[in-house]
Amino acid sequence: AQTVTQSQPEMSVQEAETVTLSCTYDTSESNYYLFWYKQPPSRQMILVIRQEAYKQQNATENRFSVNFQKAAKSFSLKISDSQLGDTAMYFCAFMKINSGNTPLVFGKGTRLSVIA
Amino acid sequence: DTAVSQTPKYLVTQMGNDKSIKCEQNLGHDTMYWYKQDSKKFLKIMFSYNNKELIINETVPNRFSPKSPDKAHLNLHINSLELGDSAVYFCASVGTSSTDTQYFGPGTRLTVL
């Protein structure tokens, strides 16, 4: 079974600064995807970024980028130029690639507060 | 046009009651899920359906019964509600390609008194 660990229950960052959220995972699978989801107070689950395990290049989406270290099973999220709207719970998630789609396995989340 | 919708968004009920949560997706996806988010925000899969067929049942009590009348709908019926059932329940759907992204509904906050 896969497990996802987020070791930082809470973090805070000043507006316009950079913050990195940590995530490690454990799996024996070789083909999988990793995701970061954002959950603001509205509770909607919003996909921030995804990474295919077979790609060595780190994914980026505007101010969001990941540091994917496959051998270390590490998948951290960097948020640059933090904005007040980035305040939310952030979940790291794992999905193994199967013949069909498989459910996501989530970490316990990191609550990020962006301070003005 | 909402991709994945859930009704109701809030549900407050007494212990012992039976309630249902409905989910509909208009994305043409074949696979739908129910996830439960507990009071500590931990999200965990409950059920997975593919083309109206149950694929995954993650040791959920049999008081929970999912039903998929067609591949666009996946409803969750809960019998004899208990205090511990209080949570946010998310429906999600995904297409057939392994590169597809899961889309989540807005969640239903269930409070059992």
Side-chain angles (χ1 to χ4, degrees):
Chain A
Q2 291 77 32
T3 58
V4 177
T5 302
Q6 292 179 249
S7 58
Q8 305 149 315
E10 292 188 28
M11 293 192 73
S12 62
V13 62
Q14 294 279 37
E15 202 175 2
E17 297 294 308
T18 295
V19 64
T20 298
L21 309 184
S22 301
C23 173
T24 58
Y25 59 95
D26 190 25
T27 184
S28 56
E29 304 285 335
S30 54
N31 291 324
Y32 52 87
Y33 292 127
L34 295 163
F35 304 85
W36 280 97
Y37 277 86
K38 169 184 177 181
Q39 187 179 40
S42 67
R43 89 168 173 250
Q44 179 69 50
M45 294 291 290
I46 301 165
L47 177 66
V48 175
I49 200 165
R50 64 183 278 163
Q51 174 80 42
E52 290 85 349
Y54 61 85
K55 288 187 178 177
Q56 290 189 336
Q57 186 172 8
N58 288 324
T60 62
E61 284 288 340
N62 301 314
R63 298 182 294 108
F64 299 88
S65 61
V66 298
N67 183 0
F68 174 47
Q69 303 288 329
K70 191 173 183 180
K73 295 180 181 169
S74 169
F75 182 61
S76 61
L77 174 70
K78 184 170 88 170
I79 306 174
S80 304
D81 185 26
S82 297
Q83 299 175 0
L84 296 177
D86 296 333
T87 293
M89 285 288 291
Y90 286 82
F91 293 96
C92 180
F94 173 100
M95 185 185 85
K96 71 177 181 181
I97 298 173
N98 214 340
S99 54
N101 280 298
T102 58
L104 296 166
V105 176
F106 287 93
K108 293 192 174 181
T110 296
R111 185 181 300 278
L112 176 67
S113 299
V114 180
I115 303 162
Chain B
D1 214 9
T2 306
V4 183
S5 59
Q6 291 179 232
T7 53
K9 289 203 170 76
Y10 297 92
L11 186 53
V12 180
T13 188
Q14 298 287 333
M15 253 189 339
N17 284 349
D18 303 338
K19 289 293 177 186
S20 293
I21 305 171
K22 296 186 177 181
C23 177
E24 177 181 2
Q25 53 94 3
N26 61 8
L27 299 164
H29 288 165
D30 290 324
T31 303
M32 296 183 73
Y33 306 99
W34 279 109
Y35 291 89
K36 178 180 179 180
Q37 186 174 40
D38 63 24
S39 58
K40 295 183 179 177
K41 302 289 188 183
F42 184 52
L43 274 151
K44 191 174 178 188
I45 184 69
M46 298 175 70
F47 299 104
S48 170
Y49 266 75
N50 183 269
N51 257 322
K52 304 192 298 176
E53 185 183 339
L54 179 65
I55 303 297
I56 292 172
N57 178 343
E58 284 290 325
T59 60
V60 177
N62 57 15
R63 297 183 297 103
F64 290 78
S65 51
K67 284 188 172 54
S68 182
D70 56 62
K71 73 174 194 179
H73 295 85
L74 179 61
N75 304 323
L76 183 64
H77 188 75
I78 315 170
N79 288 328
S80 303
L81 278 155
E82 300 177 357
L83 293 176
D85 297 332
S86 294
V88 179
Y89 293 86
F90 284 96
C91 177
S93 73
V94 68
T96 52
S97 167
S98 60
T99 59
D100 285 346
T101 296
Q102 285 194 24
Y103 289 86
F104 283 80
T108 296
R109 180 179 292 282
L110 171 65
T111 303
V112 182
L113 302 174

